[in-house]
Amino acid sequence: MFNWKDEYYTGVDFIDEQHKRLFEIAGMAYDVYKNDFIVDKFDRIVEIINELKDYTEYHFGEEEAFMIKNNYKKFLSHKVEHDDLMKDINGIDFSKIDKDQEKSLLDLINFVIDWIQNHILKVDLNMTKEVIN
Ligand SMILES: [Fe+2]
Ligand SMILES: [Fe+2]
């Protein structure tokens, strides 16, 4: 589900490497979701969310520094999207995970799919297209 495709390449190596890592983390969530042998998934879910949180914070910081360095004119609106995504991740309620672990994994997977489609494939790609050219 979270296999990397050529169409995801932005042409900026460090951004592509970091996006690949985000896909890996999303893939971990999907693997845990599919695995029926893990009876209690809580610890794995918390681990994945924390990893996603840390890596996203790092990635957004790097992307924002890149935009500033290149005087990207739509920097502010791009940063607003980053801040909103970060707010969503930080807002994940860990106490709800235990009530329905499968649902919380599905929510997490759908959140990342949405982010890939609406941010990475649109906003990030538009940004790199403009900066590189
Ligand atoms: Fe990105
Ligand atoms: Fe971005």
Side-chain angles (χ1 to χ4, degrees):
M1 172 173 279
F2 291 104
N3 293 328
W4 185 263
K5 296 190 190 111
D6 280 352
E7 65 198 78
Y8 300 154
Y9 277 112
T10 63
V12 180
D13 288 347
F14 85 88
I15 292 178
D16 292 332
E17 288 317 307
Q18 292 175 6
H19 284 167
K20 282 181 186 169
R21 178 67 192 138
L22 291 169
F23 275 65
E24 261 172 41
I25 298 169
M28 287 173 358
Y30 188 60
D31 287 345
V32 173
Y33 176 70
K34 279 189 314 184
N35 192 329
D36 293 329
F37 295 102
I38 312 173
V39 181
D40 187 354
K41 298 181 175 178
F42 183 81
D43 290 350
R44 287 293 290 135
I45 298 172
V46 169
E47 210 177 294
I48 291 167
I49 291 171
N50 283 330
E51 172 88 31
L52 187 68
K53 204 184 276 186
D54 289 349
Y55 203 78
T56 303
E57 205 161 9
Y58 165 70
H59 169 60
F60 286 171
E62 294 271 295
E63 234 180 55
E64 285 160 18
F66 175 79
M67 288 188 272
I68 292 171
K69 198 177 84 192
N70 289 286
N71 289 315
Y72 181 56
K73 61 180 190 312
K74 287 182 225 145
F75 167 73
L76 277 179
S77 61
H78 196 132
K79 189 179 182 328
V80 166
E81 287 210 12
H82 284 174
D83 291 348
D84 284 347
L85 283 162
M86 213 54 236
K87 222 184 283 166
D88 288 342
I89 300 174
N90 284 324
I92 294 174
D93 183 352
F94 287 99
S95 69
K96 280 195 182 139
I97 294 172
D98 235 10
K99 287 198 191 97
D100 195 339
Q101 296 187 348
E102 299 305 309
K103 186 184 179 295
S104 68
L105 275 167
L106 257 191
D107 286 348
L108 186 63
I109 290 161
N110 284 324
F111 169 72
V112 180
I113 289 174
D114 201 66
W115 167 10
I116 290 168
Q117 280 166 351
N118 292 309
H119 188 86
I120 293 182
L121 294 182
K122 288 183 187 149
V123 182
D124 283 348
L125 274 172
N126 282 338
M127 181 271 285
T128 51
K129 215 186 289 164
E130 218 173 298
V131 170
I132 295 173
N133 290 327

